[in-house]
Amino acid sequence: MGGVPPRPREDPRPLKGVLRSFAFAWEGLAYAWRVQRNFRIEVLLGALAVGLGLWLGVDLTPILLMAALVLSLELLNTALEALTDLASPVYHPLAKQAKDTAAAAVLVASLFSLLLGLYLLLPPLLARLGLS
């Protein structure tokens, strides 16, 4: 019988299993950082928004939540792209639709993040610069 290898047994030591799960998640994060330029750009923009929010003294909660949403969707988009490439190594219109739709989810979250950032950060920034 060929095909899929058997699933590894779970480690009976719960803490070790949790630590391994974190290690796998870290590998996924490192992979996305290495291969996804947009992920690196989104991390930078999120850090800039947090830094600006700190400087302006605004509530960081919505900024952090939106940054987490955008980055999480980018990670899911990366995973979906990899799975789609595995399942459909040659061009297929449904594979394109899956990839484009996952990318659209990141775009929608990014646009709402931008709007929220402008709403939260622009008025105090203009006041700090003496332009309002």
Side-chain angles (χ1 to χ4, degrees):
M1 251 206 264
V4 178
R7 185 174 181 179
R9 291 179 358 143
E10 289 211 17
D11 196 310
R13 299 165 292 183
L15 185 57
K16 184 160 183 152
V18 169
L19 293 177
R20 285 184 59 194
S21 295
F22 281 122
F24 293 143
W26 185 256
E27 286 179 29
L29 196 59
Y31 171 78
W33 179 264
R34 271 194 325 274
V35 302
Q36 293 294 330
R37 176 195 49 155
N38 287 350
F39 183 75
R40 294 189 301 270
I41 291 170
E42 290 155 357
V43 168
L44 175 65
L45 291 173
L48 287 173
V50 168
L52 187 58
L54 284 170
W55 183 60
L56 295 172
V58 301
D59 180 14
L60 294 181
T61 304
I63 295 169
L64 290 170
L65 288 173
M66 287 305 290
L69 176 65
V70 169
L71 294 175
S72 295
L73 286 173
E74 187 66 54
L75 291 168
L76 287 171
N77 181 45
T78 299
L80 191 135
E81 285 180 357
L83 281 173
T84 303
D85 290 343
L86 176 65
S88 181
V90 296
Y91 176 82
H92 191 282
L94 290 176
K96 179 183 181 334
Q97 288 176 358
K99 288 180 167 188
D100 291 352
T101 304
V106 179
L107 177 64
V108 168
S110 297
L111 290 175
F112 275 94
S113 183
L114 173 65
L115 291 174
L116 181 66
L118 291 172
Y119 175 77
L120 292 174
L121 299 172
L122 193 57
L125 178 62
L126 293 175
R128 170 83 47 117
L129 298 174
L131 299 174
S132 68

